[in-house]
Amino acid sequence: MAVAGLAPTSRGTNEAADAGTPRRGARDRRRDRRAAAKLSGPAYVTRAIPPYEILDEERLLRIEAAADRILAEVGIEFRGDDEALRLFRQAGAGGEGITCTFEPGMLREILRTAPAEFTQHARNPARSVKIGGPHMAFAPAYGSPFVMDLDRGRRYGTLEDFENFVKLAYMAPWLHHSGGTVCEPTDIPVNKRHLDMVFSHLKYSDKAFLGSITAPERAEDNIEMARIVFGAERVERDCVIMGNVNVNSPLVWDGTMTGAIRAYAAANQGSVIVPFILGGAMGPVTTAGAIAQALAETMVGCALTQLVRPGAPVIFGNFLSSMALRSGSPTFGTPEPAVGSLVVGQLARRLNLPLRCAGSFTTSKLPDAQAMQESAMSMLSAVQSGANFLLHSAGFLDGLLSMSYEKFVLDVDQCGALHSYLAGVAVDDNALALDAFAEVGPGNHFFGCAHTMANYETCFWDSELADNDPFETWEDAGGKDAATRANARWKAMLADYQAPPLDVAVEAELTDFIARRKAAMEDAWY
Amino acid sequence: MAVAGLAPTSRGTNEAADAGTPRRGARDRRRDRRAAAKLSGPAYVTRAIPPYEILDEERLLRIEAAADRILAEVGIEFRGDDEALRLFRQAGAGGEGITCTFEPGMLREILRTAPAEFTQHARNPARSVKIGGPHMAFAPAYGSPFVMDLDRGRRYGTLEDFENFVKLAYMAPWLHHSGGTVCEPTDIPVNKRHLDMVFSHLKYSDKAFLGSITAPERAEDNIEMARIVFGAERVERDCVIMGNVNVNSPLVWDGTMTGAIRAYAAANQGSVIVPFILGGAMGPVTTAGAIAQALAETMVGCALTQLVRPGAPVIFGNFLSSMALRSGSPTFGTPEPAVGSLVVGQLARRLNLPLRCAGSFTTSKLPDAQAMQESAMSMLSAVQSGANFLLHSAGFLDGLLSMSYEKFVLDVDQCGALHSYLAGVAVDDNALALDAFAEVGPGNHFFGCAHTMANYETCFWDSELADNDPFETWEDAGGKDAATRANARWKAMLADYQAPPLDVAVEAELTDFIARRKAAMEDAWY
């Protein structure tokens, strides 16, 4: 693709942020946009730099051929979902019993109906996110049983924590999406959590969100809640909820997951199809093999959506991992998955599907140097791979076992920096500044020159968490480290939180629905 | 270029590390190489991934044209160096007085004699570094007046600190070069420091190093010391020392610097030519303009080496910066310089010159989350830009004002991770692991399979500083953060330090030379 067409001041923000105030000057608009971004940020980010292409055609073809051989010779098992089996058999899959094999090309043909780009609509239309092509949406981390902060340490997550992270993501200017299971609300029965979680996303935020995938009927409940908010007709037409679904690697699709996929696809809602292959356990320890396996497994999951409903939105997901040699523990934010993610990006583009890949990964147990070193390597690989939906962008700590309040705001700041990174290097008359050189000349300074005055407010990313002061100023202010500043930051954000408006009748209908569904079930803790 | 030809186990190490033991199996060699790497690491690293190309041809041409216009219409001043002026006039430069202007193409023509790749020889031949092409050498940070550690905080650097950092860089398996002014030894007179600094590099390390550039006669002293160690004939033939020289931006070359360039080039030694443009002060605030200016300034400095001695080794350097809007303070490790570095890499490749760019930059005052987040973004841009000589790879803290002991070892660990990153994704039969899928099949695990057993020891980067243990294990071990672990690590390294052998007669000659030079000068503190 062409690159860096945006002025540096645009920071890759989307058209929505550019709308309005048509009669005012560009500079006023820039300033307004900057102020608005501080409050709420852009609805999504559009990259002005190309993805990082690291493998040549020959090697990409070899990985695709390996995936094709896995699919044709070993095949995929479908456990506990006769309907999924039936759909694939009807589409021409071979194999016997619960195993399907696929001739090369078959799945790619099925995937031709999947959209290369789609919009997930938010209940606030200004917050709808484009997913695919050059567009990217950053979402919080997903699925940790624990939460952490510097005051109270590690503990099981509760619904209060869940609501807090939804509120923080709503306020975070550089997150575009509310995510899904931002932490497990372990104080709520497992079979009822999905109701409270989606209610939190709808009440405490107006950004797009994910629904349950832990059982097909829970997915149905969440889709029904979406119908209450958006109307049944709208849900039939537009994507307003998605499920993030995991393969049971290696090479098994479990009925719980394929059931959730079928529920979302049948309702014309989105699915994110993600294998989680821990090298040496659920797949080979070599990156190319893990990628080939993931490609095979993910194509099958994506194809299922199209068999259920051609044209249903689906995201090609990936989650590469590595392990520590000495302990066998999983590792995150390490170099092999980072560079491997770039290859996954190339493969997803060849499938013409939106990509979910990587995130702010780390195994560190604190929001410390290790945490942000690993997260930066991982998150840069996500944006450089061309990922379109970046789950785990904020809060990930402790190998995904803990959601950290401090890490959350540190990661959000990093996401902001990536908005400037993705805007690339503008090359136009203003950026080249030839008039400034003529004005200033050799040996003089640019402090007050016209070009500096016109550009200094918008030329550089302005972090709210990084300390750039001189040492003495920093020391006089208490000599705080980044984690300590982050601790103050999330508390201030929660103290400032104000809920977005939600129609009273809609809220009543939601709470009534939830009450009825809860009353219809015994509590279950599995 | 083609990519990822190396097996993941090779970690992009160089041929030197692959040599020897020709009759033994690949697995034994890998294991030996791994053990050797723990001790001393590869002499340099050779990338198996392509650089990240972010701008298209049209935009690169516009930046080059802007640099050409700056050179032709504004020109460069040479202050206090009539010989440099004479050389450029003789080569065809226009302009009057101390200003030279250059017609488009003139400097590029002069630069055709500069080598695209060269070797800086170390006194231990196994430590010589290839600089240029796909080869990269990581060196410590350079030039901070202060040092820091967690025990004693920030203080002025001393010769003891200097020696400590030379020892740590010698022991660091993932640094290939000893650097230059690893910190200012402020307890030694300014006019005599260069003697003690180069003596430290020669005595406490056997890796390649940089000499003084603060005065032409100091450069001459250091070259003379190199002659004592390598022999005058050898120095005439091979690059054994380099000077890292700064432009006095905007558009001024100071006689101290051009004098140092001329001294190194005349002796057939290397120069690293680096503008440091703080946007809004020494150059425009827009990245493309700063890059155009830097390109102009750097081409002039590089060309001077070729006018003095065609074929002299020279490195195209760059140091992009940004600033904090609210304070005007310089910032480091921010997104604009990171993405700008990728453009600088493209321009250097078009000049066919080796590149020095970026490093482990940060403004943080502690080895904390901010420090490593900024450093990771910056250092990844260095390796992705195709940089060949990576000064500031380890220790950089506090906006280059402080060299940190803990940050040093954290950065070294990051450099190790980048060795695995640069090895890319191997795509061969072993990596694709098709036999493993046939052996394991759907739903089973890969723990004991033949492919895992053959590959698990060498497949993933093995950090010595990252904590990948489960939370409880980490907590039982004291719940230490990365900085605390780094503090223990550098102390253990210094406790284990053993000097490489140095010929007694050579050492005596060096100390005698230093004593004579010191006796010939009054102490000066400027």
Side-chain angles (χ1 to χ4, degrees):
Chain A
M1 58 169 291
V3 290
L6 298 178
T9 52
S10 74
R11 306 214 168 278
T13 52
N14 65 303
E15 301 92 351
D18 290 345
T21 64
R23 287 168 179 251
R24 299 168 57 211
R27 184 119 176 258
D28 287 341
R29 283 203 302 278
R30 274 202 296 277
R31 195 173 297 134
D32 286 359
R33 199 188 307 155
R34 189 180 186 84
K38 292 269 176 193
L39 189 66
S40 58
Y44 52 91
V45 58
T46 300
R47 61 165 61 246
I49 59 173
Y52 189 3
E53 310 280 351
I54 72 147
L55 282 195
D56 56 20
E57 174 78 10
E58 182 203 334
R59 289 183 176 82
L60 294 171
L61 285 170
R62 283 199 71 181
I63 293 175
E64 289 173 339
D68 283 348
R69 281 191 58 189
I70 293 167
L71 289 166
E73 297 171 18
V74 184
I76 301 280
E77 284 187 10
F78 292 90
R79 298 186 179 171
D81 189 347
D82 290 342
E83 175 61 10
L85 261 178
R86 190 190 67 74
L87 286 165
F88 277 112
R89 290 264 185 267
Q90 183 181 303
E96 293 185 355
I98 59 169
T99 301
C100 284
T101 55
F102 308 88
E103 287 306 305
M106 174 188 158
L107 294 171
R108 288 173 190 272
E109 187 58 33
I110 295 171
L111 287 170
R112 289 166 62 96
T113 55
E117 182 181 319
F118 65 91
T119 297
Q120 183 183 358
H121 296 265
R123 71 177 180 89
N124 176 354
R127 288 272 151 224
S128 295
V129 291
K130 279 195 189 173
I131 297 176
H135 311 300
M136 314 174 78
F138 295 175
Y142 184 111
S144 63
F146 299 103
V147 298
M148 270 189 194
D149 65 56
L150 291 187
D151 305 300
R152 296 169 62 198
R154 182 165 104 153
R155 60 198 187 270
Y156 278 103
T158 64
L159 185 59
E160 186 186 350
D161 291 306
F162 189 99
E163 291 168 355
N164 283 341
F165 282 111
V166 171
K167 291 173 181 175
L168 291 170
Y170 166 69
M171 298 180 80
W174 313 115
L175 293 181
H176 315 109
H177 196 281
S178 195
T181 306
V182 289
C183 68
E184 286 288 349
T186 61
D187 51 344
I188 309 292
V190 170
N191 63 333
K192 299 179 177 177
R193 278 176 201 172
H194 64 292
L195 300 163
D196 295 297
M197 290 196 281
V198 165
F199 180 76
S200 290
H201 284 300
L202 286 166
K203 180 170 173 59
Y204 299 111
S205 182
D206 61 4
K207 296 183 180 180
F209 60 92
L210 302 173
S212 176
I213 48 85
T214 55
E217 64 273 18
R218 295 176 197 156
E220 297 284 4
D221 280 346
N222 287 162
I223 296 166
E224 196 53 39
M225 291 171 74
R227 290 195 183 101
I228 292 171
V229 175
F230 291 89
E233 244 178 75
R234 179 81 189 285
V235 172
E236 181 61 21
R237 194 177 68 236
D238 289 338
C239 174
V240 301
I241 186 171
M242 299 197 295
N244 185 76
V245 178
N246 285 119
V247 186
N248 194 0
S249 301
L251 306 178
V252 173
W253 270 104
D254 185 276
T256 307
M257 295 291 135
T258 50
I261 291 175
R262 290 192 292 103
Y264 283 105
N268 202 27
Q269 301 305 301
S271 298
V272 193
I273 309 293
V274 193
F276 170 45
I277 299 173
L278 179 56
M282 301 88 101
V285 289
T286 47
T287 301
I291 291 173
Q293 176 187 339
L295 178 58
E297 294 169 341
T298 309
M299 283 202 293
V300 170
C302 292
L304 179 58
T305 66
Q306 302 306 299
L307 294 180
V308 171
R309 181 162 173 160
V314 63
I315 297 175
F316 181 97
N318 196 275
F319 193 118
L320 287 173
S321 78
S322 53
M323 69 167 183
L325 168 64
R326 283 166 290 176
S327 63
S329 298
T331 52
F332 292 99
T334 49
E336 294 84 2
V339 74
S341 294
L342 305 175
V343 176
V344 172
Q346 294 181 284
L347 295 169
R349 283 191 290 286
R350 291 159 70 93
L351 278 170
N352 209 24
L353 290 177
L355 171 67
R356 181 208 138 185
C357 197
S360 293
F361 296 162
T362 181
T363 49
S364 180
K365 269 65 72 180
L366 289 171
D368 65 351
Q370 179 190 342
M372 291 313 286
Q373 183 265 309
E374 291 176 339
S375 287
M377 179 175 270
S378 171
M379 192 65 183
L380 267 165
S381 82
V383 305
Q384 293 173 343
S385 74
N388 305 106
F389 181 64
L390 288 85
L391 202 63
H392 302 305
S393 288
F396 191 114
L397 206 64
D398 186 16
L400 191 48
L401 290 177
S402 300
M403 186 74 166
S404 157
Y405 282 84
E406 288 81 18
K407 177 75 163 21
F408 189 92
V409 294
L410 288 164
D411 284 336
V412 166
D413 198 66
Q414 165 88 341
C415 287
L418 290 172
H419 279 65
S420 292
Y421 187 91
L422 287 162
V425 175
V427 181
D428 54 25
D429 287 344
N430 178 62
L432 289 168
L434 281 170
D435 292 347
F437 294 108
E439 178 183 344
V440 174
N444 298 313
H445 65 69
F446 287 67
F447 290 123
C449 82
H451 182 266
T452 299
M453 297 311 289
N455 289 280
Y456 82 97
E457 283 187 285
T458 50
C459 55
F460 296 124
W461 157 242
D462 184 20
S463 167
E464 294 194 342
L465 269 183
D467 188 293
N468 302 309
D469 286 334
F471 184 88
E472 295 75 11
T473 312
W474 167 81
E475 199 172 37
D476 289 347
K480 298 187 185 92
D481 71 1
T484 306
R485 298 193 299 272
N487 180 270
R489 176 86 181 132
W490 68 259
K491 290 175 183 170
M493 287 174 74
L494 285 182
D496 286 348
Y497 172 79
Q498 291 188 302
L502 177 61
D503 184 88
V504 178
V506 167
E507 181 170 348
E509 201 175 339
L510 281 171
T511 50
D512 180 60
F513 173 82
I514 292 169
R516 280 187 290 114
R517 290 295 296 140
K518 285 192 172 180
M521 295 180 274
E522 295 291 320
D523 289 357
W525 292 93
Y526 52 88
Chain B
M1 60 168 288
V3 291
L6 297 180
T9 52
S10 75
R11 307 214 168 277
T13 51
N14 65 302
E15 300 92 347
D18 290 345
T21 61
R23 290 168 178 250
R24 298 169 55 214
R27 186 120 176 257
D28 286 340
R29 283 203 301 277
R30 276 202 296 276
R31 196 171 296 133
D32 286 356
R33 199 189 306 154
R34 185 176 189 89
K38 292 271 176 191
L39 188 67
S40 57
Y44 53 91
V45 57
T46 301
R47 62 165 59 248
I49 60 173
Y52 189 4
E53 310 281 350
I54 72 147
L55 282 194
D56 55 21
E57 175 78 10
E58 182 203 335
R59 290 183 174 83
L60 293 171
L61 285 170
R62 283 198 71 180
I63 293 176
E64 288 173 338
D68 284 347
R69 282 192 57 190
I70 293 168
L71 288 166
E73 296 171 18
V74 185
I76 301 280
E77 284 187 8
F78 292 90
R79 297 186 179 170
D81 189 346
D82 290 342
E83 175 61 10
L85 261 177
R86 191 191 66 75
L87 286 165
F88 276 112
R89 291 261 186 268
Q90 182 180 301
E96 292 186 353
I98 59 169
T99 301
C100 284
T101 56
F102 309 88
E103 287 305 306
M106 174 188 157
L107 294 171
R108 286 172 191 275
E109 187 58 33
I110 295 171
L111 287 170
R112 290 166 61 96
T113 55
E117 183 182 318
F118 65 91
T119 297
Q120 183 183 357
H121 295 264
R123 73 175 177 89
N124 175 355
R127 287 272 150 222
S128 296
V129 291
K130 278 194 190 174
I131 297 176
H135 311 299
M136 314 175 78
F138 295 175
Y142 183 110
S144 62
F146 300 103
V147 297
M148 269 190 195
D149 65 56
L150 291 188
D151 305 300
R152 297 169 61 197
R154 183 165 103 152
R155 60 197 187 271
Y156 279 104
T158 63
L159 186 58
E160 186 187 350
D161 290 307
F162 189 99
E163 291 168 355
N164 283 341
F165 282 112
V166 170
K167 291 173 182 175
L168 290 171
Y170 167 68
M171 297 180 80
W174 313 113
L175 293 181
H176 315 109
H177 196 281
S178 194
T181 306
V182 288
C183 68
E184 285 287 349
T186 62
D187 51 342
I188 309 291
V190 170
N191 63 334
K192 299 180 178 176
R193 279 177 201 172
H194 63 292
L195 299 164
D196 295 298
M197 289 196 283
V198 165
F199 180 76
S200 290
H201 284 300
L202 287 166
K203 180 169 173 60
Y204 299 112
S205 181
D206 61 5
K207 297 183 180 180
F209 60 92
L210 302 173
S212 176
I213 49 84
T214 56
E217 64 274 19
R218 295 176 197 157
E220 297 284 6
D221 281 345
N222 286 162
I223 295 167
E224 197 52 41
M225 290 171 74
R227 290 193 183 103
I228 291 170
V229 174
F230 291 89
E233 244 177 76
R234 179 80 189 283
V235 171
E236 181 62 20
R237 191 175 71 234
D238 290 336
C239 174
V240 301
I241 186 172
M242 302 198 293
N244 184 75
V245 178
N246 285 120
V247 185
N248 194 0
S249 303
L251 306 176
V252 173
W253 269 104
D254 186 274
T256 306
M257 294 292 135
T258 51
I261 291 174
R262 290 193 292 102
Y264 284 105
N268 202 25
Q269 302 304 301
S271 298
V272 192
I273 309 293
V274 193
F276 170 45
I277 301 172
L278 181 55
M282 300 87 102
V285 289
T286 46
T287 300
I291 291 174
Q293 176 187 335
L295 178 59
E297 294 170 342
T298 309
M299 282 201 295
V300 170
C302 292
L304 179 57
T305 65
Q306 302 306 300
L307 294 180
V308 171
R309 181 161 174 160
V314 61
I315 296 175
F316 181 96
N318 195 274
F319 193 118
L320 288 173
S321 79
S322 53
M323 69 167 182
L325 168 64
R326 284 165 288 176
S327 62
S329 297
T331 52
F332 293 99
T334 48
E336 294 84 3
V339 72
S341 293
L342 305 176
V343 176
V344 171
Q346 292 181 284
L347 295 168
R349 282 190 291 285
R350 290 157 71 93
L351 279 170
N352 209 23
L353 290 177
L355 171 67
R356 180 206 139 185
C357 198
S360 293
F361 296 163
T362 181
T363 49
S364 181
K365 270 64 73 180
L366 289 171
D368 65 351
Q370 179 189 341
M372 290 314 286
Q373 183 266 308
E374 291 176 339
S375 288
M377 180 176 268
S378 172
M379 192 65 184
L380 266 165
S381 83
V383 304
Q384 293 173 343
S385 75
N388 306 107
F389 181 63
L390 288 85
L391 203 62
H392 301 307
S393 288
F396 190 114
L397 206 64
D398 186 15
L400 192 47
L401 290 176
S402 299
M403 186 74 165
S404 157
Y405 282 84
E406 287 82 17
K407 176 77 163 23
F408 189 92
V409 294
L410 288 164
D411 285 338
V412 166
D413 198 65
Q414 165 89 341
C415 288
L418 290 171
H419 279 64
S420 291
Y421 187 91
L422 287 161
V425 175
V427 182
D428 54 25
D429 286 344
N430 178 61
L432 289 169
L434 281 170
D435 291 347
F437 294 108
E439 177 183 345
V440 174
N444 298 312
H445 66 67
F446 287 67
F447 289 123
C449 83
H451 181 267
T452 298
M453 297 311 290
N455 288 280
Y456 82 97
E457 283 187 285
T458 49
C459 54
F460 297 123
W461 157 243
D462 184 20
S463 167
E464 293 195 343
L465 270 182
D467 187 296
N468 301 309
D469 285 335
F471 184 87
E472 295 74 12
T473 312
W474 167 81
E475 199 173 37
D476 289 347
K480 298 187 186 93
D481 71 0
T484 305
R485 297 193 300 270
N487 180 269
R489 175 88 182 130
W490 68 259
K491 290 175 183 169
M493 286 173 74
L494 286 182
D496 286 349
Y497 172 79
Q498 289 189 304
L502 176 61
D503 184 271
V504 178
V506 168
E507 182 170 347
E509 200 175 340
L510 283 171
T511 51
D512 180 62
F513 174 82
I514 292 169
R516 281 187 289 115
R517 291 295 296 138
K518 285 191 172 181
M521 297 179 272
E522 294 292 320
D523 288 358
W525 291 93
Y526 51 86

